[in-house]
Amino acid sequence: MSLVCPVILGSVRSDRQGLRAARFLVRALEGRGHEAPLVDPAALKLPLLDRMYKEYPKGEAPEALENLAVLYRRADAFLVVSAEYNHSIPPALSNTLDHFLEEYYWRPSAICCYSAGQYGGVRAAMQLRAMLAELGAPSIPSLLPIPRIGKALSEAGEPADDWLPKAANRFLDELTWYAEALRAQRRTGTPY
């Protein structure tokens, strides 16, 4: 079955490498027949969090937030692409995620983390797991860490080696399984 899975990019730096991973994953999800819109905070230019989306009077939220709320309500899962800044998640990612709450409920998330070094951003992923669970979109058990991202993926998101498509395929199989299971459960009702 086709899923709606926004790919949420976490960096707004002008020379960001995560766009490579986001392009790769959008293409991989679309290749499976899923809808995978890219949520790019650099393009959205979201304000620093002053009010959550739900705190705006109906119809008064900024257009970018309103559009994201519509997308997130349609979503079956979320795929988050995160760099590692100072062993933590990028501030732009936290800001993008924190604008919403109920829109994430009862939907799984998956974390693709990356870095220029050998650890692939996994230290940030551990903090992101806690955050996503608190938001109501717990992450699947597997991660997709991409070490040395500048060598692993071209600017267009083409992988340099066979390991990455193989790892991504298994990672997306797992996300699909969780997304389909939770979608079926949402259709029968949620605990609250």
Side-chain angles (χ1 to χ4, degrees), residues 48-62:
L48 288 177
L49 182 63
D50 175 43
R51 280 191 218 173
M52 292 178 71
Y53 168 75
K54 69 180 183 177
E55 296 172 321
Y56 286 93
K58 189 170 179 75
E60 293 183 26

Side-chain angles (χ1 to χ4, degrees), residues 81-129:
V81 177
S82 180
E84 181 178 308
Y85 291 6
N86 300 316
H87 298 193
S88 187
I89 65 172
L93 178 56
S94 179
N95 188 62
T96 301
L97 293 171
D98 282 338
H99 276 90
F100 298 94
L101 188 59
E102 289 87 352
E103 291 77 10
Y104 299 118
Y105 284 5
W106 319 115
R107 292 161 175 85
S109 62
I111 301 168
C112 172
C113 48
Y114 65 91
S115 69
Q118 67 183 352
Y119 297 114
V122 295
R123 292 172 291 205
M126 295 305 100
Q127 294 181 29
L128 189 53
R129 276 191 195 280

